[in-house]
Amino acid sequence: MAEIFYKSMNRRTFIKTGLAGIGALVTIGTGNSFGLRKSERKATRWALLADTHIPADVSNNYRGFYPYQNLQKVVPDIISALPDGVVITGDLARLTGELGDYANLKKLLNPIAEKSPVFMALGNHDNRENFVKVFDKVPGEKQPVKNKLVTVIERPPIRLIILDSLLYVNKVSGLLGKAQRQWLEDYLKECDNTPTILCFHHSLEDGDGDLLDVPRLFSAIKPIRKVKAILYGHSHAYGFSEFEGIHLINLPAVGYNFSDTEPVGWVEAKLTAEGGDFTLHAIAGSMNKDRSVKKLAWRV
Ligand SMILES: [Zn+2]
């Protein structure tokens, strides 16, 4: 099982180091844009998921939803969309981040991982040690932030940064923490002006169960104009809002909703240097917005 995730990384490293300039010779067989020269990449296409809540027991269910079956259902849909990559913004595991949860998650994601790299953030229902045991080889450039899993993904014309807001396993609130925020500020100062999207689990309200250092994060990124959007989950709701022109994109849950008015599903994104188109793929819950497209322009 590990091999396929490992292959994703090898393929990426191989292309980056070996054949990046040759363009047309690099065919992945999936129609994605890894092999294209930077100048040729006008857009990158992503599958965005949150709150998969995969259980060790496949029959586990909540509010009438079966998280294992839900992910199983969206996998072929994602594969047929041929994304350049997949991001899952945490709450990967059912409740407490058990090894069996991650083993099932890996099994379910393998058909995707054979074709596109899968990047995962940790949520409050994940366990960092157990996650790393099962996903021992993952794609992306891992960053030196102590006790946090932070990854930078350069996929022109966009950069994604996966941050880690897991504070305590199976307690609701989250925290990036001072060291990670400092790393982020330093990194954003140093990197080029590629439009950058931050991805992590926790929601951005001011409740006790949200990301507890939201004001500090916001004041840090507000003046850094290359930060264009934040992708997050946690609320099991689909919605768009803004802070100082930074788009805040709340991804729907794959596992289950908390309210009948919310969709269950995933979001297909086409990202350019100027903005993004976000298409909802609802599979359950409210189907009202299924296939609706939200168009966003990045701040300049
Ligand atoms: Zn959740």
Side-chain angles (χ1 to χ4, degrees):
M1 293 288 190
E3 295 72 23
I4 286 167
F5 284 83
Y6 185 56
K7 263 187 217 158
S8 296
M9 190 174 70
N10 276 349
R11 182 179 66 196
R12 183 159 178 262
T13 307
F14 170 70
I15 290 160
K16 198 176 131 195
T17 56
L19 291 170
I22 301 173
L25 285 181
V26 183
T27 50
I28 309 301
T30 61
N32 66 27
S33 66
F34 284 121
L36 297 177
R37 276 186 292 268
K38 191 171 180 176
S39 61
E40 292 169 340
R41 293 189 196 119
K42 295 268 190 313
T44 178
R45 292 165 55 255
W46 286 75
L48 308 175
L49 286 69
D51 296 277
T52 49
H53 287 282
I54 297 305
D57 171 7
V58 300
S59 69
N60 182 285
N61 60 89
Y62 181 65
R63 283 178 43 82
F65 296 99
Y66 290 77
Y68 186 96
Q69 292 176 19
N70 283 3
L71 184 58
Q72 202 168 31
K73 193 169 175 182
V74 303
V75 162
D77 203 12
I78 292 169
I79 290 171
S80 65
L82 295 175
D84 295 325
V86 178
V87 171
I88 311 176
T89 60
D91 278 3
L92 310 165
R94 181 67 191 93
L95 290 173
T96 49
E98 303 300 324
L99 289 170
D101 301 344
Y102 294 123
N104 275 346
L105 178 65
K106 192 171 197 173
K107 189 166 75 182
L108 287 167
L109 292 176
N110 257 330
I112 300 178
E114 283 177 350
K115 297 177 186 300
S116 305
V118 179
F119 301 94
M120 290 174 275
L122 299 176
N124 49 297
H125 292 297
D126 289 305
N127 177 303
R128 203 173 283 108
E129 287 174 12
N130 286 347
F131 173 81
V132 170
K133 276 183 198 159
V134 176
F135 292 94
D136 52 344
K137 302 271 188 354
V138 290
E141 310 296 331
K142 194 173 179 299
Q143 302 300 315
V145 184
K146 200 178 173 195
N147 298 327
K148 293 284 191 182
L149 291 180
V150 179
T151 305
V152 173
I153 308 155
E154 298 284 355
R155 190 70 74 243
I158 289 289
R159 170 188 298 119
L160 295 117
I161 303 181
I162 308 279
L163 298 171
D164 182 341
S165 63
L166 167 57
L167 177 58
Y168 297 117
V169 178
N170 208 16
K171 291 187 181 174
V172 183
S173 55
L175 189 79
L176 295 173
K178 188 170 181 175
Q180 185 171 205
R181 280 185 279 110
Q182 190 60 57
W183 170 86
L184 180 65
E185 272 191 75
D186 294 344
Y187 191 90
L188 288 170
K189 274 177 196 152
E190 293 294 319
C191 66
D192 67 32
N193 279 332
T194 299
T196 299
I197 299 175
L198 308 181
C199 313
F200 52 79
H201 179 68
H202 280 81
S203 46
L204 303 163
E205 309 296 316
D206 62 356
D208 296 343
D210 294 305
L211 186 74
L212 297 176
D213 49 358
V214 164
R216 288 180 169 129
L217 172 68
F218 276 179
S219 66
I221 61 177
K222 180 179 156 182
I224 305 175
R225 306 300 294 183
K226 71 187 89 169
V227 177
K228 309 298 188 186
I230 299 177
L231 291 170
Y232 63 101
H234 194 51
S235 67
H236 296 219
Y238 185 43
F240 295 83
S241 58
E242 245 181 77
F243 166 77
E244 295 286 335
I246 300 171
H247 291 289
L248 312 177
I249 303 164
N250 197 168
L251 299 171
V254 179
Y256 50 86
N257 58 19
F258 290 140
S259 154
D260 296 339
T261 59
E262 289 298 333
V264 165
W266 63 285
V267 173
E268 184 177 3
K270 183 183 166 200
L271 307 169
T272 70
E274 289 77 41
D277 294 351
F278 298 83
T279 306
L280 175 67
H281 292 249
I283 58 156
S286 170
M287 298 297 287
N288 288 345
K289 293 182 188 163
D290 184 35
R291 307 292 158 150
S292 65
V293 181
K294 177 79 173 173
K295 290 179 181 290
L296 301 179
W298 306 142
R299 67 175 183 170
V300 288

